Amino acid sequence: MIDLRSDTVTLPTQAMREAIFHADLGDDVFAEDPTINRLEAMAAERLGMEAALLVVSGTMGNVTCALTHCARGEEAILGDASHIFLNEAGGISALGGIFPHTIPNLPDGTLQLDQIEAAIRADNIHFPRTRLICLENTHNRCYGAALTPDYTAAVVALAKRRGIAVHLDGARIFNAAVAQGMDVRELTRGVDSVNICLSKGLSAPVGSVICGSGEFIARARRVRKMLGGGMRQAGIIAAAGIVALEGMVDRLAEDHANARRLAEGISRIRGLATEPDRVRTNILYIDLVDRRFTDEAFIEHLKQKGVLLSHPGPARFRMLTHHGISEADIDTAVEALGAVMGEKIS
Ligand code: TLP
């Protein structure tokens, strides 16, 4: 199967399996797992933050940060296409009583600065207090768009001026850094917290790391415990995470080139629409313009030909490239799509 549903399907590499086997372990609730301590120090250094904390998943990372920033009844400003708003089971509200205030994401993944400004509440007993602005880089729903350092700095400046924190959902922040040819610190400078995922393009089996100031991470550690995320000998997870950070970042460029090749191939198939020029990282969307098939039939036909994709909305599908997908797989997938749409691809 050529599995393009997500980069979460990546399997641990041989080096990760060996690192897991040999990992030094301890009880992390006592902060005594040497492998976790090493991963957390490495992640903090890499992202230019003071401290870091290993969590189970990207979802746990985002909710842990939100609950650390905001008290019940306080408000977070976030994009209407953000993963936190769309895909995290309403956790910030359900678990933290945080009031989500959405504003539109532009196609490039940004939130307009004047709309952020307008969304911030005045000090008035009728209103919730605005505590947090959430950004997402790269932006999952916006074709994997990468936010720039200038844009991030502008949001940070606005937030500082208004006394509000900035959280960055950086599940794929290394994709953003590699795509723009820059150190990842350029993209995290000034934010109050960042959440990175080890288990997406970086191919580790489990885990995310949140980073912030020492004081923030100390408070987040209590929230993680409350959420049931105190993981004991989780150095077996951290060991793979260390390999991910050390060895799997630069190769993301291959995934980006493959995503572009995939989009270009698909753009030649009648009945499907995609936007190759928007593809900068490893995510693309296709629209089924020719309505000969139902969405389910389209997915099933492709599956018969050995290709899997995900289905985020009516007549809309998502494909991600990753470590398990070669350039030859891309060409096979394009052929399969062409065959399903009844065309020969030259
Ligand atoms: N995204 C998954 C699905 O939930 C949609 C995927 O296949 O892309 N932030 C962003 C930007 C994400 O894309 C995801 C996962 C998360 C957070 C949550 O990470 P996990 O799945 O580890 O909880």
Side-chain angles (χ1 to χ4, degrees), residues 126-161:
H126 295 87
F127 302 151
R129 273 208 180 92
T130 307
R131 275 281 184 243
L132 185 64
I133 300 167
C134 299
L135 298 177
E136 185 175 316
N137 196 7
T138 64
H139 203 288
N140 188 336
R141 282 286 173 129
C142 296
Y143 256 80
L147 302 181
T148 63
D150 285 352
Y151 174 75
T152 310
V155 174
V156 165
L158 185 167
K160 289 226 182 325
R161 185 160 46 76

mmCIF file of all heavy atoms in Angstrom, residues 126-161:
data_model
loop_
_atom_site.group_PDB
_atom_site.id
_atom_site.type_symbol
_atom_site.label_atom_id
_atom_site.label_comp_id
_atom_site.label_asym_id
_atom_site.label_seq_id
_atom_site.Cartn_x
_atom_site.Cartn_y
_atom_site.Cartn_z
ATOM 1 N N HIS A 126 -18.412 42.133 31.224
ATOM 2 C CA HIS A 126 -19.251 41.306 30.345
ATOM 3 C C HIS A 126 -18.438 40.292 29.552
ATOM 4 O O HIS A 126 -18.987 39.365 28.974
ATOM 5 C CB HIS A 126 -20.006 42.195 29.348
ATOM 6 C CG HIS A 126 -20.979 43.109 29.981
ATOM 7 N ND1 HIS A 126 -20.636 44.354 30.457
ATOM 8 C CD2 HIS A 126 -22.301 42.964 30.246
ATOM 9 C CE1 HIS A 126 -21.707 44.945 30.969
ATOM 10 N NE2 HIS A 126 -22.733 44.112 30.858
ATOM 11 N N PHE A 127 -17.154 40.503 29.464
ATOM 12 C CA PHE A 127 -16.338 39.729 28.511
ATOM 13 C C PHE A 127 -15.433 38.733 29.220
ATOM 14 O O PHE A 127 -14.970 38.997 30.340
ATOM 15 C CB PHE A 127 -15.426 40.676 27.709
ATOM 16 C CG PHE A 127 -16.144 41.745 26.937
ATOM 17 C CD1 PHE A 127 -15.526 42.962 26.674
ATOM 18 C CD2 PHE A 127 -17.425 41.533 26.445
ATOM 19 C CE1 PHE A 127 -16.164 43.951 25.951
ATOM 20 C CE2 PHE A 127 -18.080 42.521 25.720
ATOM 21 C CZ PHE A 127 -17.450 43.742 25.474
ATOM 22 N N PRO A 128 -15.130 37.630 28.542
ATOM 23 C CA PRO A 128 -14.051 36.787 29.071
ATOM 24 C C PRO A 128 -12.724 37.516 28.898
ATOM 25 O O PRO A 128 -12.610 38.399 28.043
ATOM 26 C CB PRO A 128 -14.086 35.533 28.178
ATOM 27 C CG PRO A 128 -14.728 35.993 26.922
ATOM 28 C CD PRO A 128 -15.649 37.129 27.258
ATOM 29 N N ARG A 129 -11.723 37.111 29.686
ATOM 30 C CA ARG A 129 -10.382 37.702 29.508
ATOM 31 C C ARG A 129 -9.665 36.975 28.368
ATOM 32 O O ARG A 129 -9.630 35.743 28.359
ATOM 33 C CB ARG A 129 -9.536 37.462 30.754
ATOM 34 C CG ARG A 129 -9.685 38.480 31.792
ATOM 35 C CD ARG A 129 -8.384 38.594 32.626
ATOM 36 N NE ARG A 129 -8.586 39.606 33.633
ATOM 37 C CZ ARG A 129 -9.039 39.350 34.855
ATOM 38 N NH1 ARG A 129 -9.285 38.112 35.217
ATOM 39 N NH2 ARG A 129 -9.247 40.328 35.707
ATOM 40 N N THR A 130 -9.077 37.722 27.446
ATOM 41 C CA THR A 130 -8.283 37.105 26.379
ATOM 42 C C THR A 130 -6.889 36.828 26.928
ATOM 43 O O THR A 130 -6.216 37.742 27.398
ATOM 44 C CB THR A 130 -8.172 38.042 25.160
ATOM 45 O OG1 THR A 130 -9.487 38.440 24.766
ATOM 46 C CG2 THR A 130 -7.475 37.351 24.008
ATOM 47 N N ARG A 131 -6.486 35.574 26.875
ATOM 48 C CA ARG A 131 -5.185 35.202 27.451
ATOM 49 C C ARG A 131 -4.166 34.718 26.433
ATOM 50 O O ARG A 131 -2.973 34.742 26.673
ATOM 51 C CB ARG A 131 -5.378 34.025 28.426
ATOM 52 C CG ARG A 131 -5.753 34.393 29.784
ATOM 53 C CD ARG A 131 -4.542 34.864 30.617
ATOM 54 N NE ARG A 131 -4.983 35.124 31.963
ATOM 55 C CZ ARG A 131 -4.949 36.307 32.551
ATOM 56 N NH1 ARG A 131 -4.444 37.353 31.943
ATOM 57 N NH2 ARG A 131 -5.402 36.437 33.773
ATOM 58 N N LEU A 132 -4.690 34.195 25.299
ATOM 59 C CA LEU A 132 -3.799 33.404 24.438
ATOM 60 C C LEU A 132 -4.151 33.574 22.965
ATOM 61 O O LEU A 132 -5.326 33.661 22.620
ATOM 62 C CB LEU A 132 -3.968 31.918 24.834
ATOM 63 C CG LEU A 132 -3.073 30.885 24.168
ATOM 64 C CD1 LEU A 132 -1.610 31.125 24.537
ATOM 65 C CD2 LEU A 132 -3.488 29.475 24.600
ATOM 66 N N ILE A 133 -3.095 33.588 22.140
ATOM 67 C CA ILE A 133 -3.262 33.496 20.679
ATOM 68 C C ILE A 133 -2.553 32.223 20.237
ATOM 69 O O ILE A 133 -1.404 31.980 20.637
ATOM 70 C CB ILE A 133 -2.617 34.710 19.962
ATOM 71 C CG1 ILE A 133 -3.259 36.017 20.442
ATOM 72 C CG2 ILE A 133 -2.725 34.571 18.454
ATOM 73 C CD1 ILE A 133 -2.478 37.265 20.029
ATOM 74 N N CYS A 134 -3.214 31.403 19.435
ATOM 75 C CA CYS A 134 -2.592 30.152 18.956
ATOM 76 C C CYS A 134 -2.293 30.257 17.463
ATOM 77 O O CYS A 134 -3.175 30.620 16.672
ATOM 78 C CB CYS A 134 -3.528 28.968 19.177
ATOM 79 S SG CYS A 134 -3.929 28.697 20.908
ATOM 80 N N LEU A 135 -1.074 29.921 17.092
ATOM 81 C CA LEU A 135 -0.677 29.830 15.684
ATOM 82 C C LEU A 135 -0.358 28.379 15.364
ATOM 83 O O LEU A 135 -0.094 27.585 16.279
ATOM 84 C CB LEU A 135 0.565 30.693 15.421
ATOM 85 C CG LEU A 135 0.431 32.197 15.656
ATOM 86 C CD1 LEU A 135 1.779 32.883 15.411
ATOM 87 C CD2 LEU A 135 -0.658 32.799 14.769
ATOM 88 N N GLU A 136 -0.326 28.044 14.078
ATOM 89 C CA GLU A 136 -0.008 26.665 13.656
ATOM 90 C C GLU A 136 0.990 26.717 12.499
ATOM 91 O O GLU A 136 0.720 27.367 11.491
ATOM 92 C CB GLU A 136 -1.309 25.980 13.222
ATOM 93 C CG GLU A 136 -1.171 24.518 12.873
ATOM 94 C CD GLU A 136 -2.525 23.880 12.575
ATOM 95 O OE1 GLU A 136 -3.515 24.114 13.313
ATOM 96 O OE2 GLU A 136 -2.607 23.134 11.579
ATOM 97 N N ASN A 137 2.137 26.038 12.669
ATOM 98 C CA ASN A 137 3.202 26.094 11.651
ATOM 99 C C ASN A 137 3.919 24.744 11.582
ATOM 100 O O ASN A 137 4.534 24.354 12.566
ATOM 101 C CB ASN A 137 4.200 27.201 12.022
ATOM 102 C CG ASN A 137 5.090 27.588 10.866
ATOM 103 O OD1 ASN A 137 4.892 27.130 9.748
ATOM 104 N ND2 ASN A 137 6.083 28.420 11.146
ATOM 105 N N THR A 138 3.811 24.014 10.426
ATOM 106 C CA THR A 138 3.079 24.366 9.234
ATOM 107 C C THR A 138 1.582 24.210 9.491
ATOM 108 O O THR A 138 1.185 23.571 10.468
ATOM 109 C CB THR A 138 3.469 23.436 8.042
ATOM 110 O OG1 THR A 138 3.089 22.070 8.332
ATOM 111 C CG2 THR A 138 4.948 23.468 7.790
ATOM 112 N N HIS A 139 0.796 24.784 8.567
ATOM 113 C CA HIS A 139 -0.646 24.741 8.786
ATOM 114 C C HIS A 139 -1.265 23.574 8.027
ATOM 115 O O HIS A 139 -1.302 23.551 6.805
ATOM 116 C CB HIS A 139 -1.284 26.064 8.363
ATOM 117 C CG HIS A 139 -2.586 26.265 9.061
ATOM 118 N ND1 HIS A 139 -3.705 25.532 8.743
ATOM 119 C CD2 HIS A 139 -2.932 27.034 10.113
ATOM 120 C CE1 HIS A 139 -4.692 25.870 9.554
ATOM 121 N NE2 HIS A 139 -4.242 26.781 10.397
ATOM 122 N N ASN A 140 -1.782 22.634 8.810
ATOM 123 C CA ASN A 140 -2.313 21.391 8.241
ATOM 124 C C ASN A 140 -3.390 21.657 7.187
ATOM 125 O O ASN A 140 -3.281 21.227 6.035
ATOM 126 C CB ASN A 140 -2.847 20.543 9.410
ATOM 127 C CG ASN A 140 -3.246 19.153 9.006
ATOM 128 O OD1 ASN A 140 -3.552 18.900 7.847
ATOM 129 N ND2 ASN A 140 -3.260 18.238 9.943
ATOM 130 N N ARG A 141 -4.444 22.391 7.569
ATOM 131 C CA ARG A 141 -5.580 22.592 6.659
ATOM 132 C C ARG A 141 -5.279 23.563 5.525
ATOM 133 O O ARG A 141 -6.035 23.649 4.573
ATOM 134 C CB ARG A 141 -6.790 23.124 7.433
ATOM 135 C CG ARG A 141 -7.526 22.075 8.222
ATOM 136 C CD ARG A 141 -8.322 21.180 7.287
ATOM 137 N NE ARG A 141 -8.885 20.076 8.031
ATOM 138 C CZ ARG A 141 -10.167 19.727 7.996
ATOM 139 N NH1 ARG A 141 -11.022 20.376 7.241
ATOM 140 N NH2 ARG A 141 -10.583 18.696 8.704
ATOM 141 N N CYS A 142 -4.206 24.334 5.668
ATOM 142 C CA CYS A 142 -3.865 25.313 4.639
ATOM 143 C C CYS A 142 -2.727 24.784 3.773
ATOM 144 O O CYS A 142 -1.725 25.479 3.561
ATOM 145 C CB CYS A 142 -3.528 26.657 5.275
ATOM 146 S SG CYS A 142 -4.927 27.382 6.141
ATOM 147 N N TYR A 143 -2.855 23.549 3.301
ATOM 148 C CA TYR A 143 -1.898 22.989 2.341
ATOM 149 C C TYR A 143 -0.489 22.919 2.917
ATOM 150 O O TYR A 143 0.493 23.031 2.180
ATOM 151 C CB TYR A 143 -1.853 23.880 1.088
ATOM 152 C CG TYR A 143 -2.582 23.352 -0.125
ATOM 153 C CD1 TYR A 143 -3.967 23.486 -0.240
ATOM 154 C CD2 TYR A 143 -1.891 22.750 -1.173
ATOM 155 C CE1 TYR A 143 -4.632 23.040 -1.375
ATOM 156 C CE2 TYR A 143 -2.538 22.307 -2.312
ATOM 157 C CZ TYR A 143 -3.912 22.447 -2.409
ATOM 158 O OH TYR A 143 -4.561 22.012 -3.526
ATOM 159 N N GLY A 144 -0.374 22.775 4.223
ATOM 160 C CA GLY A 144 0.967 22.701 4.799
ATOM 161 C C GLY A 144 1.737 24.004 4.677
ATOM 162 O O GLY A 144 2.975 24.007 4.649
ATOM 163 N N ALA A 145 1.005 25.133 4.635
ATOM 164 C CA ALA A 145 1.683 26.439 4.500
ATOM 165 C C ALA A 145 2.623 26.675 5.677
ATOM 166 O O ALA A 145 2.313 26.312 6.810
ATOM 167 C CB ALA A 145 0.638 27.554 4.450
ATOM 168 N N ALA A 146 3.764 27.301 5.380
ATOM 169 C CA ALA A 146 4.746 27.599 6.428
ATOM 170 C C ALA A 146 4.661 29.073 6.789
ATOM 171 O O ALA A 146 4.794 29.943 5.921
ATOM 172 C CB ALA A 146 6.147 27.247 5.932
ATOM 173 N N LEU A 147 4.433 29.357 8.072
ATOM 174 C CA LEU A 147 4.467 30.754 8.534
ATOM 175 C C LEU A 147 5.911 31.244 8.489
ATOM 176 O O LEU A 147 6.837 30.484 8.765
ATOM 177 C CB LEU A 147 3.930 30.862 9.965
ATOM 178 C CG LEU A 147 2.513 30.357 10.224
ATOM 179 C CD1 LEU A 147 2.142 30.564 11.693
ATOM 180 C CD2 LEU A 147 1.502 31.059 9.319
ATOM 181 N N THR A 148 6.086 32.514 8.192
ATOM 182 C CA THR A 148 7.440 33.081 8.101
ATOM 183 C C THR A 148 7.868 33.649 9.462
ATOM 184 O O THR A 148 7.022 33.939 10.314
ATOM 185 C CB THR A 148 7.465 34.235 7.082
ATOM 186 O OG1 THR A 148 6.586 35.263 7.568
ATOM 187 C CG2 THR A 148 7.013 33.788 5.706
ATOM 188 N N PRO A 149 9.179 33.866 9.646
ATOM 189 C CA PRO A 149 9.645 34.508 10.877
ATOM 190 C C PRO A 149 9.049 35.907 11.046
ATOM 191 O O PRO A 149 8.701 36.298 12.154
ATOM 192 C CB PRO A 149 11.164 34.596 10.695
ATOM 193 C CG PRO A 149 11.506 33.605 9.651
ATOM 194 C CD PRO A 149 10.296 33.449 8.782
ATOM 195 N N ASP A 150 8.917 36.664 9.941
ATOM 196 C CA ASP A 150 8.392 38.027 10.051
ATOM 197 C C ASP A 150 6.954 38.020 10.553
ATOM 198 O O ASP A 150 6.570 38.830 11.400
ATOM 199 C CB ASP A 150 8.434 38.745 8.684
ATOM 200 C CG ASP A 150 9.845 39.159 8.326
ATOM 201 O OD1 ASP A 150 10.746 39.031 9.188
ATOM 202 O OD2 ASP A 150 10.050 39.596 7.175
ATOM 203 N N TYR A 151 6.166 37.087 10.012
ATOM 204 C CA TYR A 151 4.761 37.033 10.451
ATOM 205 C C TYR A 151 4.685 36.646 11.930
ATOM 206 O O TYR A 151 3.967 37.283 12.711
ATOM 207 C CB TYR A 151 3.957 36.036 9.590
ATOM 208 C CG TYR A 151 2.556 35.876 10.149
ATOM 209 C CD1 TYR A 151 1.605 36.879 9.969
ATOM 210 C CD2 TYR A 151 2.201 34.761 10.913
ATOM 211 C CE1 TYR A 151 0.336 36.785 10.527
ATOM 212 C CE2 TYR A 151 0.940 34.650 11.474
ATOM 213 C CZ TYR A 151 0.013 35.667 11.264
ATOM 214 O OH TYR A 151 -1.234 35.575 11.830
ATOM 215 N N THR A 152 5.453 35.635 12.309
ATOM 216 C CA THR A 152 5.422 35.181 13.707
ATOM 217 C C THR A 152 5.850 36.325 14.624
ATOM 218 O O THR A 152 5.227 36.576 15.663
ATOM 219 C CB THR A 152 6.341 33.951 13.871
ATOM 220 O OG1 THR A 152 5.996 33.009 12.847
ATOM 221 C CG2 THR A 152 6.167 33.289 15.232
ATOM 222 N N ALA A 153 6.895 37.045 14.217
ATOM 223 C CA ALA A 153 7.382 38.168 15.032
ATOM 224 C C ALA A 153 6.314 39.247 15.161
ATOM 225 O O ALA A 153 6.167 39.863 16.234
ATOM 226 C CB ALA A 153 8.651 38.750 14.406
ATOM 227 N N ALA A 154 5.551 39.464 14.103
ATOM 228 C CA ALA A 154 4.508 40.500 14.157
ATOM 229 C C ALA A 154 3.417 40.095 15.155
ATOM 230 O O ALA A 154 2.919 40.934 15.915
ATOM 231 C CB ALA A 154 3.928 40.724 12.762
ATOM 232 N N VAL A 155 3.053 38.818 15.155
ATOM 233 C CA VAL A 155 2.021 38.357 16.107
ATOM 234 C C VAL A 155 2.569 38.439 17.533
ATOM 235 O O VAL A 155 1.866 38.880 18.456
ATOM 236 C CB VAL A 155 1.547 36.922 15.767
ATOM 237 C CG1 VAL A 155 0.590 36.402 16.845
ATOM 238 C CG2 VAL A 155 0.887 36.884 14.397
ATOM 239 N N VAL A 156 3.829 38.051 17.706
ATOM 240 C CA VAL A 156 4.443 38.108 19.041
ATOM 241 C C VAL A 156 4.456 39.563 19.545
ATOM 242 O O VAL A 156 4.113 39.833 20.703
ATOM 243 C CB VAL A 156 5.872 37.509 19.008
ATOM 244 C CG1 VAL A 156 6.667 37.881 20.248
ATOM 245 C CG2 VAL A 156 5.808 35.987 18.841
ATOM 246 N N ALA A 157 4.806 40.501 18.659
ATOM 247 C CA ALA A 157 4.868 41.913 19.072
ATOM 248 C C ALA A 157 3.484 42.405 19.483
ATOM 249 O O ALA A 157 3.325 43.060 20.525
ATOM 250 C CB ALA A 157 5.428 42.762 17.924
ATOM 251 N N LEU A 158 2.480 42.056 18.668
ATOM 252 C CA LEU A 158 1.099 42.461 18.995
ATOM 253 C C LEU A 158 0.686 41.880 20.359
ATOM 254 O O LEU A 158 0.138 42.573 21.214
ATOM 255 C CB LEU A 158 0.191 41.947 17.878
ATOM 256 C CG LEU A 158 -1.302 42.275 17.836
ATOM 257 C CD1 LEU A 158 -1.863 41.915 16.469
ATOM 258 C CD2 LEU A 158 -2.112 41.608 18.916
ATOM 259 N N ALA A 159 0.978 40.589 20.549
ATOM 260 C CA ALA A 159 0.574 39.915 21.793
ATOM 261 C C ALA A 159 1.269 40.550 23.001
ATOM 262 O O ALA A 159 0.634 40.787 24.035
ATOM 263 C CB ALA A 159 0.905 38.418 21.694
ATOM 264 N N LYS A 160 2.550 40.838 22.850
ATOM 265 C CA LYS A 160 3.305 41.433 23.983
ATOM 266 C C LYS A 160 2.705 42.788 24.336
ATOM 267 O O LYS A 160 2.525 43.125 25.504
ATOM 268 C CB LYS A 160 4.791 41.590 23.622
ATOM 269 C CG LYS A 160 5.544 40.273 23.532
ATOM 270 C CD LYS A 160 6.881 40.312 24.260
ATOM 271 C CE LYS A 160 7.687 39.030 24.142
ATOM 272 N NZ LYS A 160 6.970 37.771 24.112
ATOM 273 N N ARG A 161 2.404 43.559 23.299
ATOM 274 C CA ARG A 161 1.819 44.891 23.513
ATOM 275 C C ARG A 161 0.500 44.792 24.285
ATOM 276 O O ARG A 161 0.188 45.644 25.107
ATOM 277 C CB ARG A 161 1.620 45.552 22.129
ATOM 278 C CG ARG A 161 1.139 46.966 22.150
ATOM 279 C CD ARG A 161 1.442 47.688 20.831
ATOM 280 N NE ARG A 161 1.110 46.942 19.630
ATOM 281 C CZ ARG A 161 -0.121 46.769 19.156
ATOM 282 N NH1 ARG A 161 -1.167 47.262 19.768
ATOM 283 N NH2 ARG A 161 -0.321 46.086 18.043
#
